[in-house]
Amino acid sequence: MTEMTGSRAFVKALEKQGVEHIFGVSGGALIPICDELLDSDMRFILGRHEQGSTHMADGYARVLNKVGVAIATSGPGATNVVTGLATAQIDSSPVVAITGQVNRAVIGTDAFQECDIIGVSASVTKYNIQVRTPEEIPYAVKRAFHIANTGRKGAVLVDIPKDCTTLSGDMVFPDKVEFRGYNPNPVPNSQELDWAAKILSDAQRPVIMAGGGVIASGASKELVEMAELLMAPTATSLMGKGAIPGDHPLALGLCGMHGTMQANMIVPKSDVLLVVGARFSDRTTGKIADFTANTRIVHIDIDQSEIDKNVETVTRVVGDAKLALQGLIDRVKQQRLISTDWHKRIDEFRCVFDYETEKNGKYLRAPAVVRALREEMPRDAIVTTEVGQNQMWAALHYDAYEPRTFFTSGGLGTMGWGFPASIGAKAAKPDVPVVDIAGDGSFGMTENSMATAVEEELPVIVVVLNNNVLGMVAQWQRLFYDERYSAVKLKGNPDFVKLAEAYGAEGVRVESLDHFRTAVRRAKEADVPTVIDVPIHPDENVMPMVPPGMGLNDTLWEAD
Amino acid sequence: MGGRLMPLSTVAFLVENQPGVLFKVSNLFRRRGFNIESIAVGAVEDTRYARMTISVDADTKTMNNMVDQLDKMVEVIKIKRLDPLRTIMRELLLVKLSTNDPMAREDALRYINNQHGLVLDIDEENIMAEVTGEPGELDQFLEYVKSIGIVEMSRTGITALEKGRLQL
Ligand SMILES: Cc1ncc(C[n+]2csc(CCOP(=O)(O)OP(=O)(O)O)c2C)c(N)n1
């Protein structure tokens, strides 16, 4: 036991967790903590808005598979964190947010900058806790990190009243915290493995769908081994991109509303579908009845509550994806007698992207731009995306070759996530090129994070697919609302080149694909961030597409 | 109540006895669209924990998911779906009946006695009674006394323990 202030104890507790970076914005309730941080080696990356800094912590966490720490003051600071937490939580990203709170004596009195952030954040966190005494701080931090980073990972919030940071107490730093109600068990049950292995071994037309859980558990090697063992075509959800290298012969690409033709055609033709670490989002399955009509689903997930939530399975394995796949591989190897060449059908459905039309008048074609970007980037480059057409173009045309190289706000679809997340990613891996594939609307939402990127010397690249429109919404209006464009035109967009320059970053507007390639090469070498403004036709659609409410079999290749 | 197609499903679970836990449990029900019919909660012998009993009107699939979602909460220590055949369920009712009329008073006392209730308070105008029983029995009792005139009433919600060696 050592006597020290709450803020000292807080900083020490973070250090004990191995925290190196903190993303946040200061404020009244945080002054004692920020003061204490001056004497620590942890790097405080100062955001310009707490939403942005929380996304930075999220991007950082996803890249390193390590808890990302976001910090914000009470009241508006805390409410600004909420979008960041919801985004991290639904994508199972380990983020711990620390919020300042008013003094204990005035909690509940609507004091200045008081907000009931425990109530507000309850639905968007895995766990949250308000500290009641200075002595609780080390425990709360330990608990928060443990919960955020084990089982199905997620977002945790710790709310610390200001007087708990200024007062002193006898501090104990626990090595371990115990929970009676929280013991995630990653080890799969062997009977469940036996059943699942039997079904997989008998499959005539096996298909695998990999989700974010494969990446979270580091099971890519096992996934590929399983795919090769079964000779199973393997699709991914948006969160699963990178689980199997995009250029692997069995890789189908993305499945779902904007899935690839081959993925959307093959998945419903399977007789057994092995789903690993995915949660059957409506965007991935299309119409559920069609999705499950002919296939039997074997579901692996660490989160028991995902099993049978959206889709009925024939059998399940609850546990860590890596351990589950290892268990299944051992069993299937011994049992499987069938060999099929059904995977050869992949090519029947493969639609080849039309490279010829790179340009459309003065505009570049978004798929061509994304493919060129892929070619200019090393295999281990990191890509984040915004939300909308840009996200789907990235998902369809940017092959991820390694896990933890492609990041997107899959579950919440948070516009404005990609740019700050890319800054967090760059802080995590300064030596790897990091690109945000952006839309002009999304970039506008958190573009002020540029100040942080410049200040912290984190030279990320932003490729703005600039169609001067909230493109994805406009696409729906074009296809399903008689081209009645309402509330989508972005006539007042800034000049993104000048905007970048105003922040002290580089900006370049490109006019051809070659010009784009040159700009990317230059940006990779730059020591300031670069914004590459790419003119895209406002009417360009993302294709293929499954019309809303339809099944994967109804995927359209062209918009007419 | 009444007019229900399915019997209620009941779950019992142990939670950390801390401020905010009830909020988080009810928030989870609201968020996932589960409809609570009755809820009862109180500390157990080890006062660090409290036991909650919740009854819902839900199909098996919804119910299973509800149990999984609750089980996932850090504050929930253990949870069990109760099998009605192996469980004793009870609920307590406080009811104040309007008994100005001597006939009404007589009827009221008879119904209360039949249900082994207790008279807790009595004056010229009202009788307050305590009645315990299975939830269905209380529904039935209320049906009977309705004509007498219910001034006000309060039910505790279903509480339950499993029989014999079974336990949470
Ligand atoms: C914070 C937020 N607000 C609104 C939406 C709804 N939304 C989804 S896509 C989209 C348009 C995105 O426009 P832009 O960033 O320009 O990308 P584009 O689709 O043109 O590539 C909108 C408004 C959202 N996903 N997130």
Side-chain angles (χ1 to χ4, degrees), chain A residues 387-390 413-415 439-442 445 467 469-473:
Chain A
V387 171
Q389 293 182 307
N390 60 82
T414 307
M415 289 171 69
D440 43 321
S442 298
M445 288 206 176
N467 49 10
V469 68
L470 296 172
M472 185 54 92
V473 180

Side-chain angles (χ1 to χ4, degrees), chain A residues 37 55 103 176 208 251 293 374 379 392 441:
Chain A
L37 281 169
H55 292 332
N103 288 338
K176 238 170 71 185
I208 298 177
R374 172 69 281 185
R379 282 182 84 87
M392 292 301 125

Side-chain angles (χ1 to χ4, degrees), chain A residues 293-460:
Chain A
N294 302 312
T295 192
R296 298 194 301 155
I297 293 173
V298 178
H299 190 186
I300 300 176
D301 208 287
I302 185 111
D303 182 353
Q304 160 90 30
S305 71
E306 288 300 344
I307 308 278
D308 293 335
K309 185 181 82 179
N310 295 340
V311 164
E312 299 273 326
T313 57
V314 286
T315 187
R316 85 277 306 270
V317 179
V318 177
D320 175 71
K322 192 186 182 89
L323 298 178
L325 283 171
Q326 283 168 347
L328 288 176
I329 289 166
D330 292 345
R331 287 167 173 77
V332 171
K333 258 188 196 154
Q334 294 175 8
Q335 291 174 32
R336 185 158 171 87
L337 302 169
I338 302 169
S339 77
T340 70
D341 56 1
W342 113 274
H343 61 277
K344 294 198 175 128
R345 293 193 61 193
I346 299 175
D347 287 330
E348 263 176 56
F349 304 103
R350 205 183 287 279
C351 272
V352 182
F353 175 71
D354 163 20
Y355 290 95
E356 300 305 311
T357 48
E358 288 173 351
K359 281 200 85 166
N360 174 0
K362 61 178 174 144
Y363 301 103
L364 298 189
R365 299 272 328 276
V369 172
V370 172
R371 283 168 184 263
L373 177 69
R374 172 69 281 185
E375 285 168 19
E376 294 302 328
M377 284 291 146
R379 282 182 84 87
D380 63 347
I382 291 172
V383 162
T384 64
T385 82
E386 299 295 346
V387 171
Q389 293 182 307
N390 60 82
Q391 181 181 34
M392 292 301 125
W393 281 319
L396 279 164
H397 299 287
Y398 189 95
D399 274 349
Y401 298 132
E402 295 175 14
R404 296 191 189 280
T405 57
F406 185 94
F407 302 98
T408 191
S409 167
L412 205 64
T414 307
M415 289 171 69
W417 181 85
F419 178 48
S422 74
I423 296 171
K426 190 74 183 174
K429 285 204 174 172
D431 299 332
V432 172
V434 178
V435 191
D436 173 36
I437 299 179
D440 43 321
S442 298
F443 184 50
M445 288 206 176
T446 50
E447 135 266 290
N448 60 4
S449 297
M450 189 59 91
T452 304
V454 171
E455 196 167 272
E456 296 290 334
E457 297 177 3
L458 297 169
V460 297

Side-chain angles (χ1 to χ4, degrees), chain A residues 96-268:
Chain A
V96 170
I98 313 293
T99 49
Q101 184 53 279
V102 297
N103 288 338
R104 284 171 295 173
V106 294
I107 289 179
T109 65
D110 298 325
F112 177 64
Q113 294 199 326
E114 179 184 4
C115 168
D116 167 28
I117 197 63
I118 293 294
V120 170
S121 65
S123 301
V124 298
T125 50
K126 182 172 173 186
Y127 181 66
N128 66 17
I129 181 172
Q130 186 174 62
V131 167
R132 291 170 300 187
T133 61
E135 293 81 2
E136 272 182 22
I137 289 176
Y139 286 90
V141 169
K142 185 89 193 172
R143 286 173 85 103
F145 275 70
H146 180 72
I147 291 173
N149 209 24
T150 51
R152 179 173 178 182
K153 299 181 183 194
V156 176
L157 180 138
V158 182
D159 194 35
I160 311 183
K162 185 175 181 181
D163 59 326
C164 288
T165 64
T166 51
L167 291 173
S168 294
D170 278 333
M171 302 296 178
V172 178
F173 293 86
D175 291 329
K176 238 170 71 185
V177 277
E178 286 186 9
F179 302 90
R180 279 198 65 193
Y182 179 77
N183 294 304
N185 176 14
V187 183
N189 169 304
S190 63
Q191 196 162 41
E192 287 181 351
L193 287 171
D194 290 343
W195 285 327
K198 170 103 187 51
I199 291 170
L200 291 171
S201 298
D202 293 342
Q204 302 283 342
R205 297 184 310 283
V207 170
I208 298 177
M209 193 172 74
V214 174
I215 290 166
S217 85
S220 292
K221 193 177 125 287
E222 289 74 12
L223 180 84
V224 173
E225 193 179 340
M226 179 57 113
E228 290 171 356
L229 184 61
L230 296 171
M231 287 312 276
T234 301
T236 72
S237 70
L238 189 55
M239 296 304 296
K241 246 185 103 72
I244 179 168
D247 54 357
H248 190 282
L250 290 169
L252 293 170
L254 187 70
C255 166
M257 178 172 273
H258 289 290
T260 64
M261 216 60 192
Q262 60 272 19
N264 285 1
M265 293 299 119
I266 293 271
V267 168

